[in-house]
Amino acid sequence: MDTFAEPYTRAGDDISLDSVRDHVRTLEARHKANGVQLSGRIIHVCHYLPVTCTITSTTTRDGILSPPPTPPRILSDVPPSPSDEVPQISLPTQPERWKLAPRYGHSAMTSGIRSLSLTHEQLILGWTGDILSPAGPPDGNDADVNPSTGERIPSVRDRIPSSRISQEDKDALDVELAHYTDKNALEPETSKPITYLPLWMEDNVAHGHYDGYCKQTLWPLFHYLLWQDVATEHASADANYEYYEQANQAFATRLASVLKPGDLVWVHDYHLLLVPRMLRNAMHSGAVSGVGGENGGDVVIGLFVHTPFPSSEVFRCLPRRKEILDGMLGANLICFQTYSYTRHFTSTCVRVCGYETTSKGATATSTSASRGASVVPRSATGTGVGATRGASLTRRGTSAKGGAGVEKYVGIDVQGHVAAVTHCPVGVDAERVARDTLRPGVQPKLDALRALYADKKIIVGRDKLDVVKGVLQKLRAFEKLLHDYPEWQRKVVLIQVTSPALTDSPKLERQVSELVAHINGEYGSLDFIPVHHYHQTLRKDEFYALLSAADLGVITPLRDGMNTTSMEFVIAQERTKRSPLVLSEFMGISQHMADALQVNPWDLGDVAAAMNRGLVMSEDEKASRHAALHSVVTTHTSHTWAAVLAKMLLSQINGQNTARQTPYIPRDNLKELYDNAGKRLFLFDYDGTLTPIVKMPSMALPSPDALTALAKLSSDPNNIVYIVSGRDQAFLEEHLGHLPRLGMSAEHGGFIRSPDSAVWMNFTASLDMSWMEEVAEIFRYYTERTTGSHIEMKKSSITWHYRSTDPEWGQFQCRQCQDLLENNVVPKRPIEVLVGKKNLEVRPIAVNKGEIVKRILYQNPGVEFIFCAGDDKTDEDMFRALLLFPPSSIGKATMEPPLSVMLVDNTKEHSDVELAVSPEGVFTTAVGHSSKRTLASWHVTTPEEVVEHMLFLVGETPQGDDLRGYL
């Protein structure tokens, strides 16, 4: 990465909401003018629907009538979330079968999503949640309240198993959701429709997914807690993964059923990390009507992770680490709360999976943007990597070639599919929170608090009772305040509210209660209690009254994402004391709110000192800090966040990214043309095409299926088969030399051996190769300083490999070495520098795979069928050489004598030849994802698929494992 001090927000995102929406409209207009299909829809995939569903009258699947609601459940019995309105119910005109109410929790995300209805039609796909019966809690007592959702946690007797819900009831829910509107959302009449799509899951899958893998494995991990550190004890970090996978597949399948070409898809949070890849799999397989493939439109997929993302050393402890990362990397754009989290994610992909980072171009909103602006691959120019040397890996920038029209994102390259990685902070609905602080019930409670603590300073904290929230550390810091600053004894109180959490445990609750009792016993008296601890969910009026009354807010979790309480505190203080705020530096929001007093929650002395500083702060400093915080909170709102997400997702679309998807090779058409051709030519790269890429090049051995395919193809006298590889002659002869009719080209076209011949022809014999020692000396210098790297000396080229090095250090050293070669050697020598997969190669300009392909084709002009497969940047030379026909050409192509013919045999005249092949008979095939930048006409996903297609042509079936590709 280029910097560890990246700004929290990007240039251009701190403008007004109206300006961001103008940018969105500009991007959409430009895309439509460029022929890109847009549906005008945004589909949000969330774990829950933002609606609770209570069934009031039903015939269950076993035919037993459910009892009437006795006594009627009134929603006022349910304590509302501090950040949402008292629920109101919108009922359809027909007799109701379902009672719908707002689901509390994730209010920032929900308000942001709803704000997009001003500009886009929206679909919200989510699990229904537990279906509730109308009966209230037994004995009229309040049930437990889930603080993460703000709603009553239904007891077992309140829940109706999903298996007992009839299809008729499910259909009725669809009808009532179609009429549902949240009256508290204050949506303008001009808003476009929001459609709610319920997902039904079996109870064991739904709860194994959420209560199991999400809360017992992913949540602790993402908050830097390994499983043995969590207060509750669980069997295994891998337990419940099957439910997680099943639930994600259910979401992906339901999503695929409603997709249209040109949709924008946002997948939200850590519950659904596998969905992006699963959806791409469905698009790739043709399961999504009208989407993907040669003739279908495309769907752009975004993934927003609301939680922190840990460092690679923590994440690599996850047993299913690769599955999770690959699932996330199926998205076009992966977005986190802060730059720090994007850096952790990128480093994890590099270190854990061995993927490479790259810069990814995206359409900017400047009116000067060029059509289809993109980042040119390093090997796509005539001079190799030199043309784009030093391409920035910053998240955002301007391309020297693309001008103002190209934004740069860090990208993760997975078999040619590049997922952009960036960040965007979430805010709160500032206008709604400001209205809530003026509710009639707030002021009486505020007056009561002021009267109760008239001569005391009030410190306020509100957290879940969760290990990661740092409540114990906060209490110890308060005790240290009273010890180190005795003048505050009997003059300050801490009001700490904790609410139950899913990771709650009797052990943690006991520890908090004991510490509170200890502090009150040590520093309290009969008429004074320093710590007031309330383990409950506050009603909204109480919550905002408490925030408004505070002289100091203290929010110090050990690790957290975007804690909205801190933002609500700032807004609540606007009309009262404008009190300061103490924040943990380990929160995602900490960089966002730089004018808060930031502390290390583990350093009790630091926290105590910050508390003291906040309590004695001058009015002028309070006002200054508050003004800065208030400006940030009211500028970066949930509405701005949602609009910026839409803008970033639209910016991923450009003429070469979305509109140009390489179609999957048509097997039946391939077979038909193969059978009808009299003479056929096959050209295969080796590494990454016939065999997978491996850590040690010497271990890349051909599989039995690959050998069978090559033997069958080369034994047919109508076939000409060549391996065109970067490997040296010795390796190719050792592993493929037993196939007598197999032609070989070694060292990227430096040497060639014709079928039925044992003699290698050297194309570099007439070239000046004195540069090799000079380059070898430079490579030796970097090998000594890069542990795990090594040099591969060939007869016509020299390669420096760093696959076994530390990934980030190896990549850094590669760029340094590349820079040295291009500035000091390339200008003086007839050579070019190629950046491969974990290697840096230097070769003569006149030698490449494209020249060899031209030579083979020139010498065999009668071929009527050509199949050429490769995966690397060097294989683009082959694809370029086979661009034989201009667009819409229907005639025959002629070919001039290539340089590879002239170099070896310059003693006679060579004339142009007419080729027998037709345009439809040329199958250039790239191995990798369909969005991979390539000159090839077709694609397959993995080397195994290349072999499978060749076996299909000769009437064989694969005998080895059917290894499916990435996407």
Side-chain angles (χ1 to χ4, degrees):
M1 306 301 296
D2 58 308
T3 175
F4 289 86
E6 191 78 5
Y8 183 71
T9 55
R10 292 178 312 244
D13 288 349
D14 54 351
I15 57 179
S16 71
L17 176 60
D18 289 338
S19 296
V20 178
R21 286 173 174 166
D22 286 342
H23 286 178
V24 170
R25 284 188 283 268
T26 300
L27 279 169
E28 290 181 326
R30 182 181 307 148
H31 291 323
K32 290 178 181 178
N34 289 344
V36 177
Q37 186 175 6
L38 294 176
S39 68
R41 305 196 313 173
I42 301 178
I43 304 179
H44 299 273
V45 190
C46 311
H47 174 231
Y48 281 115
L49 282 178
V51 180
T52 59
C53 306
T54 301
I55 194 164
T56 59
S57 177
T58 181
T59 301
T60 56
R61 293 181 62 179
D62 55 9
I64 302 174
L65 293 175
S66 62
T70 54
R73 176 181 162 208
I74 55 174
L75 292 175
S76 59
D77 288 341
V78 182
S81 166
S83 56
D84 289 282
E85 289 279 6
V86 174
Q88 299 179 19
I89 304 174
S90 176
L91 301 177
T93 56
Q94 59 186 0
E96 70 172 26
R97 182 174 301 192
W98 292 89
K99 183 175 293 185
L100 306 180
R103 184 186 301 276
Y104 300 117
H106 305 290
S107 58
M109 180 185 75
T110 303
S111 68
I113 289 174
R114 288 197 171 114
S115 71
L116 288 174
S117 61
L118 284 172
T119 56
H120 292 81
E121 178 186 351
Q122 295 191 97
L123 288 76
I124 302 178
L125 168 62
W127 177 44
T128 58
D130 287 312
I131 301 302
L132 307 181
S133 70
D139 303 324
N141 297 322
D142 287 342
D144 291 334
V145 175
N146 184 345
S148 64
T149 62
E151 62 184 1
R152 181 174 63 87
I153 299 176
S155 65
V156 174
R157 72 175 63 188
D158 294 330
R159 301 172 183 170
I160 297 179
S162 61
S163 59
R164 291 173 61 100
I165 304 298
S166 67
Q167 186 59 49
E168 182 182 353
D169 290 328
K170 293 178 182 180
D171 294 339
L173 178 61
D174 289 337
V175 172
E176 297 196 28
L177 282 171
H179 294 86
Y180 174 79
T181 56
D182 182 1
K183 299 301 183 183
N184 301 319
L186 299 178
E187 296 166 355
E189 294 181 359
T190 58
S191 295
K192 297 187 177 182
I194 299 177
T195 302
Y196 299 95
L197 301 173
L199 175 70
W200 296 90
M201 288 192 290
E202 294 296 328
D203 293 336
N204 63 325
V205 174
H207 289 283
H209 164 246
Y210 182 66
D211 301 328
Y213 199 75
C214 288
K215 285 301 180 183
Q216 297 177 11
T217 300
L218 292 182
W219 174 267
L221 179 78
F222 283 8
H223 291 81
Y224 285 76
L225 292 174
L226 298 184
W227 306 278
Q228 65 268 25
D229 299 327
V230 182
T232 52
E233 296 181 359
H234 304 292
S236 168
D238 206 26
N240 297 304
Y241 177 78
E242 61 178 311
Y243 296 124
Y244 186 82
E245 188 175 35
Q246 291 173 27
N248 275 250
Q249 186 61 65
F251 274 92
T253 302
R254 182 73 170 96
L255 175 58
S257 69
V258 299
L259 280 182
K260 294 181 180 179
D263 281 344
L264 303 180
V265 176
W266 268 113
V267 180
H268 290 273
D269 221 2
Y270 69 102
H271 315 89
L272 305 171
L273 297 181
L274 302 181
V275 168
R277 176 181 178 179
M278 290 175 169
L279 181 59
R280 285 216 178 273
N281 280 337
M283 293 165 59
H284 168 71
S285 64
V288 185
S289 176
V291 176
E294 181 179 6
N295 300 316
D298 195 39
V299 170
V300 185
I301 305 172
L303 170 66
F304 192 91
V305 182
H306 293 259
T307 63
F309 195 88
S311 70
S312 61
E313 292 305 303
V314 173
F315 189 88
R316 73 187 314 140
C317 299
L318 184 66
R320 299 287 182 166
R321 59 195 187 183
K322 190 173 188 304
E323 289 92 332
I324 296 295
L325 290 175
D326 282 346
M328 298 173 70
L329 290 168
N332 297 89
L333 178 68
I334 304 168
C335 194
F336 295 90
Q337 299 273 14
T338 72
Y339 173 73
S340 163
Y341 302 157
T342 70
R343 182 164 53 83
H344 290 165
F345 176 75
T346 303
S347 177
T348 300
C349 291
V350 172
R351 291 182 173 277
V352 174
C353 293
Y355 298 142
E356 294 186 351
T357 60
T358 183
S359 57
K360 179 173 182 178
T363 306
T365 54
S366 168
T367 55
S368 62
S370 60
R371 178 177 179 180
S374 61
V375 178
V376 180
R378 290 183 168 179
S379 61
T381 63
T383 56
V385 293
T388 54
R389 177 182 56 82
S392 170
L393 284 185
T394 58
R395 180 195 60 260
R396 185 183 179 100
T398 302
S399 166
K401 289 192 172 186
V406 176
E407 295 178 2
K408 291 288 186 65
Y409 290 83
V410 172
I412 307 297
D413 189 335
V414 184
Q415 295 185 1
H417 169 72
V418 179
V421 184
T422 187
H423 69 276
C424 178
V426 176
V428 294
D429 188 344
E431 293 183 3
R432 180 189 56 77
V433 174
R435 290 196 309 269
D436 288 344
T437 61
L438 301 177
R439 288 163 55 94
V442 173
Q443 190 62 42
K445 293 179 174 59
L446 175 59
D447 294 338
L449 285 170
R450 286 172 172 170
L452 185 62
Y453 303 105
D455 57 344
K456 305 291 190 297
K457 293 284 188 179
I458 302 174
I459 299 176
V460 169
R462 175 183 174 270
D463 309 273
K464 293 180 188 177
L465 191 59
D466 193 312
V467 176
V468 302
K469 299 302 180 181
V471 176
L472 284 173
Q473 288 75 11
K474 183 193 300 186
L475 291 170
R476 292 183 182 123
F478 180 71
E479 180 183 16
K480 191 164 183 62
L481 170 74
L482 299 179
H483 179 271
D484 293 354
Y485 303 91
E487 63 271 22
W488 288 116
Q489 294 180 17
R490 301 183 63 84
K491 295 182 180 179
V492 64
V493 295
L494 169 63
I495 302 177
Q496 175 63 52
V497 179
T498 58
S499 48
L502 288 178
T503 54
D504 204 5
S505 74
K507 177 182 177 182
L508 180 59
E509 188 172 352
R510 184 181 68 251
Q511 288 176 328
V512 170
S513 299
E514 290 175 352
L515 185 54
V516 168
H518 165 73
I519 297 172
N520 289 338
E522 185 72 21
Y523 296 98
S525 62
L526 290 176
D527 60 345
F528 174 71
I529 300 175
V531 179
H532 298 255
H533 175 224
Y534 302 96
H535 187 53
Q536 64 185 67
T537 298
L538 296 179
R539 295 180 181 273
K540 179 174 287 190
D541 292 348
E542 297 172 328
F543 175 70
Y544 285 116
L546 185 61
L547 295 187
S548 300
D551 295 285
L552 181 67
V554 180
I555 304 174
T556 53
L558 307 181
R559 188 72 57 171
D560 207 354
M562 302 301 289
N563 187 300
T564 57
T565 300
S566 57
M567 301 183 194
E568 293 169 318
F569 177 87
V570 171
I571 296 173
Q573 285 287 324
E574 174 68 10
R575 297 176 57 86
T576 54
K577 302 179 181 180
R578 303 189 176 185
S579 300
L581 183 62
V582 176
L583 289 183
S584 165
E585 65 185 49
F586 299 125
M587 299 168 63
I589 202 172
S590 59
Q591 296 174 350
H592 192 27
M593 305 181 74
D595 285 277
L597 302 175
Q598 298 191 15
V599 296
N600 176 358
W602 296 99
D603 186 346
L604 303 184
D606 184 30
V607 180
M611 289 180 180
N612 177 67
R613 181 182 175 186
L615 293 172
V616 301
M617 187 177 291
S618 67
E619 293 300 321
D620 289 342
E621 185 178 358
K622 286 182 183 178
S624 173
R625 287 178 176 271
H626 174 81
L629 291 174
H630 191 265
S631 175
V632 169
V633 170
T634 54
T635 300
H636 296 288
T637 66
S638 59
H639 294 190
T640 309
W641 163 77
V644 171
L645 287 188
K647 183 187 77 171
M648 290 192 301
L649 207 52
L650 284 166
S651 71
Q652 296 303 307
I653 304 173
N654 59 57
Q656 294 182 352
N657 180 39
T658 298
R660 174 65 169 99
Q661 295 283 312
T662 308
Y664 195 81
I665 190 166
R667 174 183 292 207
D668 293 337
N669 189 34
L670 181 73
K671 174 67 171 173
E672 180 183 358
L673 290 171
Y674 173 85
D675 290 339
N676 294 335
K679 195 172 184 181
R680 316 173 190 103
L681 174 62
F682 290 87
L683 304 161
F684 299 103
D685 174 44
Y686 183 77
D687 292 286
T689 301
L690 292 178
T691 63
I693 298 293
V694 295
K695 197 172 186 68
M696 292 299 295
S698 60
M699 300 303 294
L701 305 180
S703 67
D705 282 342
L707 292 175
T708 299
L710 291 175
K712 290 281 187 179
L713 286 173
S714 61
S715 64
D716 188 331
N718 292 325
N719 293 341
I720 303 168
V721 185
Y722 272 88
I723 302 295
V724 186
S725 174
R727 296 284 190 158
D728 59 22
Q729 301 129 281
F731 180 91
L732 295 179
E733 287 186 331
E734 177 184 357
H735 298 290
L736 301 172
H738 63 284
L739 301 173
R741 297 201 68 255
L742 179 66
M744 303 179 191
S745 174
E747 300 190 20
H748 296 297
F751 299 86
I752 189 171
R753 194 190 84 173
S754 301
D756 294 320
S757 173
V759 179
W760 287 90
M761 187 178 299
N762 184 359
F763 289 100
T764 65
S766 59
L767 301 178
D768 178 13
M769 304 297 290
S770 61
W771 53 267
M772 291 192 70
E773 182 53 38
E774 185 178 358
V775 172
E777 183 62 29
I778 294 174
F779 280 172
R780 282 193 288 269
Y781 173 87
Y782 280 94
T783 300
E784 293 171 0
R785 289 157 178 79
T786 313
T787 303
S789 65
H790 68 278
I791 301 171
E792 182 183 5
M793 294 290 297
K794 303 176 184 177
K795 295 178 181 179
S796 64
S797 63
I798 179 171
T799 306
W800 183 67
H801 295 272
Y802 62 93
R803 184 171 296 276
S804 298
T805 69
D806 177 273
E808 291 174 318
W809 175 242
Q811 190 174 56
F812 173 80
Q813 289 290 76
C814 175
R815 290 174 182 152
Q816 296 295 307
C817 183
Q818 175 191 348
D819 185 77
L820 179 62
L821 289 168
E822 290 171 350
N823 286 324
N824 295 277
V825 182
V826 170
K828 301 180 295 184
R829 300 285 194 169
I831 59 176
E832 61 181 348
V833 181
L834 298 175
V835 179
K837 295 180 179 178
K838 303 292 184 181
N839 64 68
L840 193 65
E841 182 173 10
V842 182
R843 70 183 187 189
I845 291 177
V847 174
N848 59 66
K849 291 183 176 182
E851 286 297 324
I852 286 298
V853 168
K854 290 178 182 178
R855 175 185 174 85
I856 296 170
L857 187 56
Y858 182 82
Q859 293 178 339
N860 298 276
V863 297
E864 300 172 347
F865 174 94
I866 301 174
F867 181 89
C868 177
D871 74 305
D872 207 334
K873 296 173 184 178
T874 60
D875 300 317
E876 295 298 315
D877 292 330
M878 294 197 295
F879 302 149
R880 186 179 293 106
L882 292 174
L883 295 175
L884 305 171
F885 303 91
S888 303
S889 173
I890 58 175
K892 296 294 184 180
T894 59
M895 188 174 191
E896 298 177 348
L899 180 62
S900 52
V901 171
M902 307 291 289
L903 279 176
V904 176
D905 188 1
N906 56 8
T907 61
K908 63 179 182 179
E909 291 290 333
H910 298 279
S911 60
D912 295 355
V913 298
E914 183 177 272
L915 304 179
V917 70
S918 59
E920 61 272 12
V922 180
F923 290 85
T924 51
T925 307
V927 181
H929 185 258
S930 62
S931 64
K932 181 179 184 177
R933 299 285 176 81
T934 180
L935 295 172
S937 300
W938 308 98
H939 94 100
V940 295
T941 309
T942 65
E944 290 79 12
E945 292 175 28
V946 175
V947 174
E948 180 185 347
H949 279 75
M950 296 306 100
L951 290 172
F952 175 70
L953 292 181
V954 296
E956 299 284 341
T957 57
Q959 301 301 312
D961 293 335
D962 182 17
L963 300 177
R964 294 187 61 184
Y966 164 60
L967 291 173

